[in-house]
Amino acid sequence: MRSDEVKKGIERTAHRALLKALGITDEEMNKPFIGVANAYNTIVPGHMMLDKVTQAVKEGIYSAGGVPFEFGVIGICDGIAMGHEGMRFALPSREIIADSIEAMVEAHKFDGLVVVGACDKIIPGMLMAVLRLNIPAIVVTGGPMLAEKVKDQVVTIKTAFEAAGMYKAGELDDAGLKLYEDYCAPYCGSCQGLYTANTMQILTETLGLSMPYCSTSPCGSSRKLRIAKESGKRVVELVKNDIKPRDFVNEESFKNAITMDMLIGGSTNTVLHLPAIAIEMGIKLDLDLFDEISKKTPHLVAIDPASSYTIADLDESGGVPMLIKKAIDLFSNEMTVSGFKLHEIAEKAFVRGKDIINDVDNPIHKEGGIAILKGNLAERGAVIKAAAVEENMMRFEGTAKVYDSEQEALKAILDGKIEEGDVVVIRYMGPKGAPGMPEMLLPTAAIAGMGLERVALITDGRFSGATHGPCIGHVAPEAAVGGNIALVKEGDIISIDIPARKVEVKLDDEELKERREKWKPKEVKLTGYLAKYAKLVSGADEGAILT
């Protein structure tokens, strides 16, 4: 066992003494040591129950003959960080999470690993660590938040973000605004819709790194605790049989994950996270692969923000196994951490309540939920959640309103300076330019809340999975490195054609060349971690990884 390096032999007497200071017995010295990376904290709603989930994991480890060692992992709530300087730290925290787990596991030579987490950057960071370390490991995701109703309508955190625009538009009074504030996030768990957190939990299960139904089992449910306990037991079996993540996760597994992403119309942030996770195995996922899979994958389920359904409704419909069962020919039959193959799990799937998953021969859209756009405004690509765009906005041409920060754009929207037919351009928001590529749910939510139906938004930053409408993000190259988005001026005409996968500013090459000769990069004074991050981070089209 790996842990013998810290507990066997005369030269490890002091090491054993330190372990005994923790209460480890002589008998336990001969058992597998399992690291349990716990993202529990009291600032992130998706994490507030992870102490109980982790306790169930540890009970499972004990019952199977292992010894658990719990350690903490940071976690940022993207919702609370949204719309101010704090959001610049959200994406960069992914690398901190991966690095810190690697450091703890390698320093203490754990035989196996269970990571317990939820929410946007935490799950991707944990997956990066799991594949980088390649010791027997399993992922336990915290699960979705349940939703409440206001005026007989299901409300989610997306509704709360849009409420500010509704208030500005005169559709809500103070009491109405307070109602949304009090009921849009009423429980523990990852916010209710198919945003980044829940999308990544679903893709973790599809990759085969968590137990069946783990991703959609609600936070706080007894089922989540049972899955956690089984996961603890299972990791000890993995250690005893020396089964490591890279023994069953491969390139086909990642294609399965992308297929699932398109099937459900998941968050655009997966186009950042899956390549970053795959590169830990030496697998390169190009943007073109996402689009290739999107074009041959039907969109089968519409979940908030594309509808009023939530992840709890998907869970009733059979969760990930039922999604795979209904589109089984699209998924490669890879092994999973449970010891069963994807198709074996899918064959046993059942609908427990309502069924919101369409059949393959009756899709919501014939193509997948995410599209990759290219053109002179995004020569290396941009990303849009096509599943959340109305049909009449799939092709659109509008007048550019240009802002060099999210705050400037948000103020213009709320002050009524954006009109139907405009294209809001927010730049210098990329991985290097911001830095940290902040999410911009506030401007998109304000546009929706103000009732603007024919307004598009384009940015070299990114969007929350709660964003809906013609919102194009991840524009690469970004403005900070001289991408053409830096050259756009107020009044330029921008053309968007999602079916044709095009996004262009109507300027000829000569005009772009003249503007480039006059362009100077925006200066940003940086200190601390963000200064290091800006120097090392790659473009969005490469997953914003550190190089």
Side-chain angles (χ1 to χ4, degrees):
M1 291 190 291
R2 275 168 47 97
S3 60
D4 287 350
E5 291 187 49
V6 298
K7 64 187 183 185
K8 295 289 185 181
I10 295 170
E11 68 278 11
R12 296 294 186 250
T13 300
H15 300 64
R16 291 192 294 276
L18 290 168
L19 288 165
K20 286 185 174 181
L22 301 169
I24 301 300
T25 66
D26 287 329
E27 180 189 7
E28 288 174 326
M29 289 287 184
N30 296 312
K31 295 180 178 180
F33 282 10
I34 311 296
V36 182
N38 179 11
Y40 167 76
N41 60 50
T42 59
I43 184 63
V44 183
H47 292 187
M48 59 193 275
M49 292 289 288
L50 294 185
D51 55 341
K52 294 178 175 59
V53 174
T54 299
Q55 181 58 36
V57 168
K58 292 192 292 186
E59 289 170 5
I61 292 169
Y62 278 126
S63 70
V67 183
F69 293 88
E70 180 183 346
F71 60 91
V73 174
I74 67 165
I76 289 174
C77 177
D78 282 32
I80 296 173
M82 195 79 68
H84 57 86
E85 292 297 307
M87 180 45 81
R88 297 173 190 269
F89 287 88
L91 181 59
S93 74
R94 183 185 71 182
E95 269 59 34
I96 295 174
I97 289 163
D99 292 350
S100 64
I101 294 172
E102 178 191 15
M104 288 295 288
V105 169
E106 292 292 17
H108 301 103
K109 292 300 174 187
F110 294 127
D111 299 302
L113 174 67
V114 182
V115 294
V116 183
C119 301
D120 295 36
K121 310 308 165 302
I122 295 85
I123 296 298
M126 287 180 160
L127 292 174
M128 289 166 68
V130 162
L131 292 177
R132 182 187 303 173
L133 288 161
N134 198 35
I135 65 170
I138 193 165
V139 182
V140 180
T141 52
M145 181 187 290
L146 299 175
E148 291 276 21
K149 289 185 176 181
V150 171
K151 297 178 182 176
D152 205 35
Q153 297 293 316
V154 171
V155 292
T156 64
I157 195 63
K158 172 182 69 70
T159 323
F161 275 103
E162 292 177 357
M166 294 163 66
Y167 184 86
K168 281 282 188 177
E171 295 179 19
L172 282 180
D173 58 14
D174 289 343
L177 192 67
K178 179 76 160 52
L179 205 59
Y180 285 124
E181 181 181 318
D182 289 346
Y183 289 94
C184 282
Y187 301 102
C188 68
S190 296
C191 297
Q192 308 97 325
L194 193 58
Y195 318 145
T196 307
N198 285 316
T199 303
M200 285 309 306
Q201 292 185 100
I202 287 169
L203 300 194
T204 299
E205 187 176 332
T206 308
L207 280 168
L209 285 167
S210 61
M211 297 293 272
Y213 301 99
C214 185
S215 62
T216 58
S217 297
C219 177
S221 67
S222 60
R223 187 152 44 105
K224 178 63 67 179
L225 297 179
R226 294 196 299 272
I227 290 171
K229 196 174 292 185
E230 289 297 326
S231 298
K233 291 171 63 177
R234 179 61 183 157
V235 77
V236 178
E237 294 173 5
L238 296 173
V239 170
K240 290 177 178 177
N241 292 292
D242 194 30
I243 300 172
K244 304 180 185 73
R246 294 192 205 175
D247 293 336
F248 56 90
V249 176
N250 53 43
E251 189 166 355
E252 292 303 315
S253 305
F254 280 98
K255 289 180 180 178
N256 282 340
I258 297 171
T259 299
M260 178 61 73
D261 202 11
M262 301 307 166
L263 208 68
I264 61 178
S267 166
T268 52
N269 282 315
T270 56
V271 180
L272 284 176
H273 296 319
L274 284 177
I277 296 162
I279 206 71
E280 298 289 349
M281 293 182 63
I283 297 171
K284 185 169 175 57
L285 301 180
D286 292 322
L287 283 185
D288 290 342
L289 177 62
F290 283 83
D291 212 46
E292 176 188 320
I293 292 175
S294 178
K295 287 177 178 176
K296 62 184 182 184
T297 304
H299 174 216
L300 296 187
V301 61
I303 299 172
D304 182 68
S307 78
S308 61
Y309 290 126
T310 67
I311 301 298
D313 297 314
L314 178 61
D315 188 58
E316 277 189 32
S317 304
V320 169
M322 183 56 76
L323 283 161
I324 294 171
K325 185 175 185 176
K326 287 198 172 186
I328 201 157
D329 291 342
L330 299 176
F331 290 92
S332 174
N333 192 20
E334 303 306 311
M335 181 57 73
T336 74
V337 75
S338 69
F340 296 96
K341 291 189 172 185
L342 272 185
H343 290 193
E344 292 178 84
I345 296 167
E347 286 166 5
K348 296 177 182 177
F350 60 94
V351 175
R352 179 167 51 83
K354 62 172 68 75
D355 185 1
I356 66 170
I357 306 170
N358 285 31
D359 294 322
V360 170
D361 58 3
N362 182 35
I364 296 168
H365 300 106
K366 291 181 180 179
E367 293 186 357
I370 293 175
I372 307 300
L373 311 184
K374 291 187 177 180
N376 69 354
L377 194 51
E379 292 171 298
R380 295 211 309 262
V383 184
I384 187 167
K385 189 170 185 174
V389 179
E390 295 292 336
E391 192 62 36
N392 68 348
M393 288 297 288
M394 296 296 277
R395 291 182 175 88
F396 180 70
E397 193 168 281
T399 305
K401 296 284 182 71
V402 184
Y403 305 93
D404 286 352
S405 76
E406 177 188 10
Q407 287 73 25
E408 290 172 14
L410 181 61
K411 186 176 187 304
I413 295 163
L414 294 177
D415 287 349
K417 294 180 180 178
I418 303 303
E419 303 173 346
E420 301 284 14
D422 285 343
V423 179
V424 178
V425 177
I426 311 178
R427 60 194 179 190
Y428 295 101
M429 293 288 104
K432 286 185 179 292
M437 203 180 180
E439 283 185 353
M440 282 170 283
L441 179 56
L442 288 179
T444 62
I447 288 169
M450 296 284 282
L452 296 167
E453 296 181 354
R454 293 192 61 77
V455 171
L457 194 151
I458 296 176
T459 181
D460 52 6
R462 59 197 178 89
F463 298 115
S464 162
T467 297
H468 60 105
C471 300
I472 299 168
H474 305 208
V475 168
E478 62 177 288
V481 299
N484 286 342
I485 190 172
L487 310 179
V488 178
K489 292 182 179 179
E490 197 95 358
D492 286 345
I493 302 301
I494 292 175
S495 172
I496 300 164
D497 189 334
I498 297 171
R501 304 299 202 258
K502 290 282 187 183
V503 56
E504 296 184 323
V505 56
K506 290 201 163 184
L507 299 171
D508 58 32
D509 292 344
E510 190 61 33
E511 175 66 21
L512 286 170
K513 182 181 177 183
E514 286 181 17
R515 291 188 186 186
R516 183 172 301 285
E517 288 171 355
K518 298 174 184 177
W519 173 78
K520 291 182 180 179
K522 183 179 177 182
E523 290 186 19
V524 181
K525 291 183 180 180
L526 299 171
T527 59
Y529 181 64
L530 288 185
K532 299 174 190 174
Y533 183 85
K535 287 179 181 178
L536 298 173
V537 72
S538 72
D541 56 310
E542 297 177 304
I545 59 172
L546 299 189
T547 56

